[in-house]
Amino acid sequence: MSWSLETLDLRLELEQEGDPTAFSVEGLIIEGATWRDDRLIINDGESVSVGRSQVRWVHSENQAQRKTRPGYVNLPVYLNGDRSDDLFTVDLPFSQNDELLSVVRAVCLTAGGVPSA
């Protein structure tokens, strides 16, 4: 099976593992939100470590399906805490009414570093 790169979406599934078609990742940190009950919730700006997660490619031929889904927000994933090198973006579910706050508070994920206390 072969698909064009333009028809693939990168999905990040926080604190999930075991899918044989996914890549396992460790050390992700959420800045400005907390992952609880399978969604992001705005916090007071703390950085929070995330448990082992998985990244996988999902085929999506329909361009309409590729837009950010309702209840989800598109967030950047940076190489580290200085946010100078972005790796990719992902759509993650947000608690109700927090979607706009995620932009104002600059919520993101980083792939390396130490969470703030």
Side-chain angles (χ1 to χ4, degrees), residues 50-68:
V50 179
R52 184 174 292 173
S53 302
Q54 61 188 19
V55 177
R56 63 187 177 97
W57 290 103
V58 177
H59 183 247
S60 174
E61 274 194 43
N62 185 343
Q63 287 293 341
Q65 289 177 342
R66 301 187 81 202
K67 294 181 181 176
T68 302

Side-chain angles (χ1 to χ4, degrees), residues 4-116:
S4 169
L5 186 58
E6 290 83 21
T7 65
L8 295 175
D9 287 325
L10 190 62
R11 296 272 170 91
L12 174 61
E13 297 165 341
L14 295 178
E15 297 186 341
Q16 295 182 22
E17 57 184 324
D19 184 338
T21 65
F23 299 94
S24 181
V25 293
E26 291 183 66
L28 292 176
I29 296 170
I30 303 171
E31 296 185 14
T34 303
W35 184 252
R36 188 178 323 132
D37 300 326
D38 293 329
R39 68 178 38 119
L40 290 167
I41 300 169
I42 293 288
N43 64 26
D44 290 331
E46 298 101 22
S47 298
V48 179
S49 294
V50 179
R52 184 174 292 173
S53 302
Q54 61 188 19
V55 177
R56 63 187 177 97
W57 290 103
V58 177
H59 183 247
S60 174
E61 274 194 43
N62 185 343
Q63 287 293 341
Q65 289 177 342
R66 301 187 81 202
K67 294 181 181 176
T68 302
R69 299 170 279 175
Y72 283 69
V73 65
N74 188 264
L75 296 177
V77 179
Y78 294 104
L79 179 62
N80 53 40
D82 69 13
R83 299 184 182 197
S84 61
D85 297 309
D86 59 325
L87 300 174
F88 52 90
T89 61
V90 292
D91 293 338
L92 292 174
F94 243 91
S95 62
Q96 193 173 24
N97 302 324
D98 278 351
E99 293 173 49
L100 293 176
L101 277 175
S102 69
V103 175
V104 173
R105 299 250 181 122
V107 174
C108 70
L109 287 97
T110 59
V114 179
S116 62

